Structures are given as structure tokens and as C-alpha cells.
Amino acid sequence: MLEVSKAAYDVPVPLIIVGQNQRQADNKGFAETSLRSLANSIDEDGLTSPITVRPLHWCAKCERTGVAKGDCCGQEMALRYMLVAGERRYRSITMFLKWETIPAFIEEMDDTRARAVMAHENIGRVNLNPMEEAAVYREFTEDLGLSEEATAERCSTTLANVIARLELLKLVPMAQELLRREALPITHANEMARLPVRLQEEALKLLSRTNVSFVQFKQYLAQLQSQEVQALPFGFTELWAQQVAAAAEQQAAMRSRSAEIFTSDDLPPVQGDRKDTAGDIIVRYMRDLHEGGHHSEAAAVGNLLTVLLKYRKVKNFRENPDFEVSLD
């Protein structure tokens, strides 16, 4: 029986093997700046939470591991410790602090238990990207045999979130990679995951050509699905890309032609707060102008308010519920 201790034990770094983790190597939590910051904290305050490892026998030649000791590749398997929880702490210490040993809890556990511990630790990370989150839920549902409902309860999330994240696993590899790198919005990814591979690949062409809003993307996908999969009109996606780009240019041009706003320090300041409606602010300012002797300016504001009321642009008055304007 391998020696197991529930107390923290200083495990030599060369004896620790990093296990397969659902988190990607380029996860933000593994970025150099993040790990260096953690290393500085550990160096200053010490390692307040030891890592967790499981004892295993390991073959240096074929890198095979096993709970039971035996012969492998003609040589005896040596004792090693596989990292189960605390990968960020382990990376920070080995990359920057260069400790020879790391305090660790040593727990004997089978593969299923180890996967469960690792998955549960991963899901608690705020910087887990959607694809990594999906991998964690798949770990629970496929490898550990939990239902989607049990997975949601175990991970302190909603059933809808578990289902939605698992749907992301249906994305083509390129879409999954874009989502990992935050180059594909999760809203767009959720819509794409419902499509067959052929249409996903077509949709990626549009996303590569131009920035598409969620509303535009949904409209595009609706039209895309209405076409015959094997007979998409020639240049269908390219035409959409041109239309989206043209709309963006038109909006930019309109913003650049925004009217100049005229103000004056000689007039009373406009009074208002977050609880006020637009109508409250306009009515109050109109009356402040009138009471301050600025009758022409008050009339100008009144003329503006009359038109806004006529076209139902101003409807509610929190401070003036009985305010009325006579309209022809």
C-alpha cells in the first residue's frame, strides 16, 4: 500500500506529474502575468493552500501510470505523484519560485474520483472559457456518468447553462478555437451550434469577412438555413458581408454628421437625476427658464416638448403625472 497522509507533505517537484486538465494551456489563468502575480503572492505570504496530488506508479520509458505496482517495458514502475488540484499554484511555483518541494495533500483515489476532483476545481475558476466549461460538463456527464441535472447541481449552475455549454461541443473545430480565443461571441456560437457542419463552415466565412451584430447574424443564419444545403446561391455569404459592411459605413457616416450641440453658461443649469424621466427634465427646465425671466428660451423648450408629445416621444412624467399639453 502506498503511503498516504492527510497532512500537507513536502513533495519533491521532480516527482510530480501534471495530469490531463480540461483547461486549455492558453487559458488566461495560465498567462505569464497571472502566474507571476500569484507567485509574488505566494513568495510574500507563503502557500496557504497546498496542492492536491494522488500517488501513482509511473514508467519513465513509456510514461504509463497505474495505481498498482508492476513491471512495464521490462522495468519497475517508480513512485510518482499526479497533480489533481492546484495547477496554477504548481505552475507559479515551478516557473518563478523554483522551489525544490511543494506542500501537498496526498490522497489515494481512483481515476473516476481524480477526474471529479479536477473537474470540480476547474468549474470554480472565473476565467474558465466556454469551451473549457463545456469540457468540464462533458467530464461529469460522459466520463462520470452523471445526468445533466446532477451536473448542474454539482457545479452550482443551471440546467439550461449545462445544456447550452454541452451544445458548444457540436461546433466545428475552427469555431471552438475562435470561441476559446474570444474571437467569436458566445451569442453567435450558441446559434451556430444548432447548424449542421456544412452551414457552420459557411457562417464562418461571413464572420471572417466582417463584424456582424447578433441581430444581423441571426437574420443571416435564418436565410442560410432556408437555402438548399447543396445549392447555396453563388456569392450568398459574400453578398451578406458586403451588406453588413455597407450598413456599418452608413452608421459611421451618420455619427460623423451629428449635429453640433449649443449650450450657454448664461442660462440656468438643467436639473435632473437618474430617477427622472425625459419629460420630467424638460418640464422642470422649461419652468426654471420661465421663472428666471428667460421667456423666449422657455417657449423654445415648450415648442420642442409639444412636438415630442405629439409623436409620443415623451410619455411618462414621474414628478408631473397630471401635466398636459393641448394638442391640435
Side-chain angles (χ1 to χ4, degrees):
M1 178 69 67
L2 296 174
E3 182 180 353
V4 178
S5 173
K6 291 187 178 180
Y9 178 81
D10 287 331
V11 177
V13 170
L15 299 185
I16 299 175
I17 303 171
V18 179
Q20 184 178 3
N21 198 316
Q22 298 95 336
R23 302 173 73 192
Q24 304 298 315
D26 59 354
N27 181 280
K28 288 184 177 179
F30 292 156
E32 181 176 343
T33 53
S34 176
L35 294 177
R36 187 182 294 277
S37 176
L38 178 57
N40 292 337
S41 176
I42 294 174
D43 189 38
E44 182 177 345
D45 302 324
L47 185 63
T48 57
S49 180
I51 64 175
T52 300
V53 298
R54 58 185 294 219
L56 288 175
H57 292 287
W58 176 73
C59 174
K61 185 175 182 180
C62 69
E63 298 187 350
R64 176 183 171 187
T65 59
V67 175
K69 186 175 182 179
D71 292 333
C72 180
C73 300
Q75 61 184 28
E76 276 200 1
M77 301 174 75
L79 177 63
R80 291 292 185 272
Y81 297 92
M82 179 166 286
L83 181 65
V84 176
E87 186 168 352
R88 288 190 70 242
R89 283 162 280 165
Y90 169 83
R91 290 193 182 206
S92 295
I93 290 170
T94 55
M95 287 177 63
F96 301 108
L97 302 182
K98 308 300 182 181
W99 290 1
E100 295 183 356
T101 64
I102 300 179
F105 295 121
I106 303 175
E107 296 186 24
E108 188 172 294
M109 59 184 78
D110 59 19
D111 291 342
T112 300
R113 168 64 179 163
R115 285 199 301 267
V117 172
M118 187 179 295
H120 195 270
E121 183 195 47
N122 285 335
I123 204 63
R125 301 297 183 189
V126 295
N127 50 19
L128 208 65
N129 68 53
M131 291 312 307
E132 292 172 327
E133 191 178 350
V136 171
Y137 297 149
R138 178 171 56 187
E139 188 86 8
F140 278 110
T141 56
E142 295 185 6
D143 296 338
L144 303 181
L146 273 66
S147 65
E148 292 175 345
E149 291 83 357
T151 297
E153 183 177 357
R154 182 75 174 269
C155 298
S156 301
T157 187
T158 63
L159 175 60
N161 184 58
V162 170
I163 294 174
R165 289 296 187 262
L166 290 175
E167 282 291 305
L168 295 178
L169 297 172
K170 298 178 181 178
L171 289 170
V172 294
M174 177 57 72
Q176 293 189 26
E177 179 60 25
L178 291 174
L179 187 55
R180 288 191 188 97
R181 293 193 279 111
E182 299 183 354
L184 175 63
I186 184 63
T187 51
H188 295 50
N190 286 333
E191 294 297 319
M192 282 185 60
R194 302 187 179 100
L195 302 178
V197 170
R198 166 78 171 86
L199 297 187
Q200 285 190 44
E201 292 173 343
E202 188 69 22
L204 284 174
K205 296 178 183 178
L206 176 66
L207 295 172
S208 68
R209 285 169 169 77
T210 184
N211 292 325
V212 187
S213 71
F214 179 58
V215 172
Q216 291 173 324
F217 194 57
K218 286 192 68 174
Q219 293 172 344
Y220 164 76
L221 294 183
Q223 291 192 23
L224 183 64
Q225 292 177 84
S226 69
Q227 308 294 330
E228 290 293 334
V229 175
Q230 299 300 327
L232 285 173
F234 180 76
F236 173 79
T237 296
E238 181 61 32
L239 178 60
W240 256 90
Q242 293 173 3
Q243 292 175 343
V244 171
E249 290 178 3
Q250 184 177 19
Q251 290 180 359
M254 291 176 63
R255 286 194 295 268
S256 67
R257 294 195 299 268
S258 296
E260 182 180 355
I261 298 177
F262 300 100
T263 62
S264 174
D265 294 333
D266 297 331
L267 297 175
V270 179
Q271 304 293 334
D273 57 42
R274 288 181 176 275
K275 295 181 180 180
D276 287 328
T277 66
D280 288 329
I281 295 174
I282 295 174
V283 170
R284 185 185 302 122
Y285 191 54
M286 179 180 64
R287 289 174 174 170
D288 287 348
L289 288 170
H290 184 74
E291 292 172 1
H294 303 280
H295 303 300
S296 296
E297 290 81 358
V301 174
N303 290 340
L304 171 64
L305 180 59
T306 300
V307 174
L308 293 175
L309 288 167
K310 178 178 180 180
Y311 293 106
R312 301 293 190 269
K313 301 300 182 181
V314 175
K315 301 179 182 179
N316 301 317
F317 296 89
R318 183 174 64 90
E319 289 188 354
N320 307 278
D322 299 323
F323 181 79
E324 294 183 0
V325 174
S326 177
L327 300 176
D328 295 333

